[in-house]
Amino acid sequence: MVPRITAPSCCRAGGAMPKDENVKKATSEAAPDQRWKLQVFYLCFYGFMTQIRPGESFITPYLLGPEKNFTQAEVTNVITPVLTYSYMAVLVPIFLLTDYLCYKPVLVLQSLSHISIWLLLVFGTSILAMQLMEFFYGVTMAARIAYSSYIFSLVAPSRYQRMASYSRSAVLLGVFTSSVLGQLCVTLGSVSFLTLNYVSLGFVTFGLLLTLFLERPRRSLFFNRSEGAGSEAVPTELDKMAGGDSGRGPRDWQDAVLCRMLREVGALAQQPQLRLWSLWWVFNSAGYYLMLYYVQILWNEIYPTTDNRQVFNGGVDAASTLLGAGASFAAGYVKIRWTLWSELVIGMVTAFQAGLLLLMNTTSNIWLCYAAYVFFRGSYQFLVPVAIFQIATSLSKELCALIFGVNTFFATVLKTIITIIVADKRGLGLSIHPQFYVYFGYFTLLAVVYLLAAVGVGIRHSRIRKQPAELALAKEPCQLPAEGPVQEKSPEAGAVRA
């Protein structure tokens, strides 16, 4: 982190600063300015390189293939559900530790977990080893918050939006490159899945080395606020909630302000748009990630080839990543009245996703299933930036981070409940096709609810538009009788508008 440079108190009290001191200050600020640019560049490079895991797109066919020779029932109902359970178990602790430990230790933990995943994939032979692999995969997913929030500790708030786009672009480019590299190795190089996992192990080990050279910030959003920033510092949401008492210790802040923030989140839940998009985040992301976890098993069921060169998982992941990035970019240019059309847009996109799930589950053409998967992911990624904007537009960065954390937690709880009921062998233990019928029904139900809500919004909007016309008509005495039904309606109209 670059320390904030403030003028000495005597200079602030005295007004103008001497010319030579102005020159010294400008010179001292030039180096830190270049320093944060180098830090951001290194962080984006780190984000790109840590996504280079070419074997990731082929984990399921690797487990089902001759190298590991697990059955489809074992992978579907015993191994894969552990990912959901572990993610829910570690999500809240890692969310808190990320801020308390100032990001870098959690990024190191993520890199160590990545290494553990591929060591277990290469050398593990039992179901327990694969379940442990899924546990570490849940840890890496929960630790993503460390990378996405680390960059905010390096730059001023005015640069947040641009820096967030840089870091996200670096990650998407890394995922795309990794998927293409894996597909080229399998299809053109006839590389075995085991060799591809060795390559992935080498890349994640290099990612750990990169993590060690990251600078550890001295401030974060919640637990490590900047102290003594001076009178020029703009008070944040935390300062307002703390009542402006700057003399309170960090332990008092942790015990009191976090509780106040949770109460503030409860009050913000009354805002219609924030509530709508938070519910979308919870319900739709739960179904989206369940589909993501199990889709490779569906592909293997539709096209159970023994020729690794005919497995195109990497190319499909690359295409879906590219379409998702384009959809996210295009969403930033959609200019509509979201307070009126949000429910309708969400309902139509969700209905489209339900149709794609049905197509994926009923077709016997693997290419049609691939295409449906690509469009499913693209449609979800189209709404993600809209949801982020609608949730974050009126919040401070502290409350925004907390609300996204709460939404993700509830989505994970819902995902876990569905997994226990549908996929786990201790529940229904459904095979892959019945599972996807459940997901189709889930998205269909969501689409119906959203579209009914859109109808309700349309009816309320039409009534509101009629009220000003009725009120204007009531104010024209030459066209109305002295006593009549319209005069009785006008006070009610005025009351509604007030």
Side-chain angles (χ1 to χ4, degrees):
M1 173 205 162
V2 181
R4 179 182 177 126
I5 300 176
T6 57
S9 58
C10 60
C11 295
R12 290 199 301 267
M17 187 183 294
K19 184 175 180 181
D20 57 340
E21 292 189 14
N22 276 327
V23 174
K24 290 180 181 179
K25 182 179 179 182
T27 304
S28 65
E29 287 180 343
D33 184 71
Q34 295 299 322
R35 188 182 178 193
W36 76 259
K37 290 181 179 179
L38 291 175
Q39 288 175 330
V40 169
F41 173 80
Y42 184 80
L43 185 62
C44 290
F45 175 72
Y46 164 82
F48 172 82
M49 290 304 303
T50 53
Q51 298 302 315
I52 307 298
R53 305 186 294 269
E56 190 169 43
S57 298
F58 303 93
I59 289 179
T60 298
Y62 172 69
L63 295 178
L64 296 172
E67 292 92 347
K68 297 302 177 183
N69 203 29
F70 293 107
T71 67
Q72 184 169 300
E74 288 173 337
V75 174
T76 304
N77 306 123
V78 181
I79 296 175
T80 305
V82 177
L83 171 59
T84 301
Y85 304 151
S86 64
Y87 183 49
M88 188 189 73
V90 302
L91 177 61
V92 173
I94 287 183
F95 177 78
L96 296 176
L97 286 175
T98 295
D99 195 90
Y100 186 74
L101 298 178
C102 289
Y103 313 110
K104 181 176 178 177
V106 177
L107 290 174
V108 173
L109 174 64
Q110 184 185 45
S111 295
L112 291 173
S113 297
H114 271 135
I115 293 175
S116 301
I117 289 171
W118 265 271
L119 284 174
L120 289 166
L121 281 172
V122 170
F123 299 108
T125 56
S126 65
I127 291 180
L128 181 60
M130 294 305 103
Q131 289 177 323
L132 191 59
M133 178 272 295
E134 294 287 9
F135 169 79
F136 284 116
Y137 212 104
V139 173
T140 63
M141 291 181 62
R144 290 174 184 175
I145 182 66
Y147 174 79
S148 61
S149 55
Y150 180 98
I151 201 165
F152 296 130
S153 67
L154 303 179
V155 298
S158 60
R159 298 189 177 102
Y160 280 176
Q161 184 174 357
R162 182 178 298 178
M163 294 304 106
S165 66
Y166 289 166
S167 61
R168 179 172 174 80
S169 299
V171 169
L172 291 176
L173 183 60
V175 173
F176 176 79
T177 304
S178 175
S179 302
V180 171
L181 177 62
Q183 190 63 62
L184 291 176
C185 288
V186 169
T187 304
L188 300 182
S190 299
V191 176
S192 67
F193 294 149
L194 178 61
T195 303
L196 208 58
N197 285 325
Y198 274 112
V199 174
S200 300
L201 179 60
F203 275 110
V204 296
T205 304
F206 178 66
L208 175 62
L209 296 178
L210 293 178
T211 308
L212 298 178
F213 291 97
L214 287 171
E215 181 175 348
R216 184 177 180 182
R218 291 192 293 270
R219 66 180 174 91
S220 56
L221 292 179
F222 301 117
F223 292 102
N224 302 283
R225 295 283 315 290
S226 298
E227 300 293 339
S231 58
E232 298 174 358
V234 179
T236 65
E237 194 75 24
L238 294 176
D239 300 323
K240 298 174 185 176
M241 292 181 184
D245 186 5
S246 59
R248 299 179 62 170
R251 191 164 189 82
D252 292 334
W253 178 89
Q254 295 172 22
D255 294 339
V257 177
L258 190 58
C259 295
R260 296 182 186 181
M261 291 183 71
L262 291 174
R263 290 196 295 269
E264 183 72 11
V265 169
L268 290 170
Q270 300 177 10
Q271 298 181 15
Q273 284 296 295
L274 189 145
R275 182 173 62 246
L276 170 67
W277 287 100
S278 293
L279 289 174
W280 175 85
W281 195 283
V282 171
F283 287 101
N284 286 61
S285 64
Y288 170 79
Y289 281 104
L290 282 172
M291 184 279 302
L292 219 60
Y293 296 163
Y294 291 94
V295 70
Q296 289 192 18
I297 303 174
L298 178 66
W299 293 343
N300 189 81
E301 177 74 12
I302 294 174
Y303 189 63
T305 180
T306 57
D307 185 359
N308 292 349
R309 293 175 298 177
Q310 299 299 316
V311 179
F312 298 99
N313 295 11
V316 177
D317 283 339
S320 61
T321 300
L322 196 60
L323 181 61
S328 299
F329 181 80
Y333 292 89
V334 176
K335 304 296 182 182
I336 64 174
R337 188 178 172 185
W338 287 107
T339 55
L340 178 60
W341 299 107
S342 289
E343 289 84 355
L344 181 60
V345 172
I346 293 176
M348 293 177 63
V349 172
T350 306
F352 177 64
Q353 291 176 320
L356 291 173
L357 284 172
L358 181 62
L359 176 62
M360 291 167 63
N361 199 33
T362 56
T363 184
S364 58
N365 187 326
I366 188 62
W367 292 104
L368 199 57
C369 187
Y370 284 157
Y373 168 80
V374 170
F375 283 111
F376 186 97
R377 290 194 65 182
S379 60
Y380 175 82
Q381 294 298 332
F382 172 77
L383 288 181
V384 167
V386 179
I388 292 175
F389 174 77
Q390 293 295 321
I391 293 173
T393 184
S394 59
L395 302 178
S396 67
K397 64 180 183 293
E398 292 92 350
L399 284 178
C400 184
L402 189 62
I403 284 180
F404 282 124
V406 170
N407 290 345
T408 302
F409 174 74
F410 281 119
T412 305
V413 171
L414 177 60
K415 184 171 55 178
T416 303
I417 293 172
I418 296 174
T419 300
I420 293 174
I421 296 173
V422 174
D424 199 294
K425 68 174 184 178
R426 290 164 292 187
L428 296 177
L430 297 180
S431 59
I432 194 62
H433 280 295
Q435 276 194 48
F436 267 74
Y437 278 122
V438 172
Y439 304 149
F440 161 69
Y442 177 81
F443 273 86
T444 300
L445 178 61
L446 289 179
V448 170
V449 173
Y450 291 136
L451 292 175
L452 289 177
V455 172
V457 170
I459 293 174
R460 288 196 301 269
H461 179 70
S462 62
R463 287 178 179 175
I464 292 174
R465 291 187 63 183
K466 288 180 181 179
Q467 289 170 1
E470 293 177 355
L471 186 60
L473 188 63
K475 289 181 179 180
E476 298 179 7
C478 60
Q479 298 180 6
L480 299 174
E483 296 180 0
V486 177
Q487 288 182 339
E488 294 176 359
K489 288 184 180 179
S490 58
E492 295 178 6
V496 172
R497 294 191 68 185

